[in-house]
Amino acid sequence: MATLLLTQMAHRLPGLKQLPDYWLDVGFGELVFGLSSPVLPSGVAAWVALLLNGLLVAAVATGSVHLVSSSILLQETIQRDDHKYTSR
């Protein structure tokens, strides 16, 4: 949720408007996991796990935005079609 909110807020900033949302999601996903780990990992496997967790969070944030936006568009299309058929 933090990644999603950070991305939506940062996307409104003038310098970041040109970047695609998924790059912001990846950046904030990695930042959230990097800052939330109590100690920096000591081994390669721990760094890989940290990286993969950040990418997983980024994928969830990107997918949730896509899911919500596509369901809103679908609902608008259904309402428009219902209005078109009931106004005859």
Side-chain angles (χ1 to χ4, degrees):
M1 189 65 163
T3 302
L4 178 64
L5 292 175
L6 286 170
T7 300
Q8 294 304 312
M9 288 189 309
H11 192 63
R12 300 180 197 283
L13 296 174
L16 299 177
K17 283 184 179 182
Q18 292 80 17
L19 288 175
D21 284 346
Y22 52 85
W23 285 115
L24 289 173
D25 285 336
V26 169
F28 285 123
E30 295 297 335
L31 182 72
V32 165
F33 263 95
L35 294 176
S36 65
S37 67
V39 180
L40 288 177
S42 59
V44 174
W47 278 103
V48 170
L50 189 68
L51 176 71
L52 290 176
N53 283 333
L55 290 176
L56 178 63
V57 167
V60 169
T62 302
S64 65
V65 169
H66 177 71
L67 180 68
V68 168
S69 63
S70 64
S71 68
I72 289 171
L73 289 174
L74 179 65
Q75 185 63 31
E76 289 174 355
T77 304
I78 290 171
Q79 288 175 351
R80 188 174 51 241
D81 288 346
D82 285 347
H83 179 69
K84 182 171 63 176
Y85 292 124
T86 58
S87 62
R88 291 184 184 177

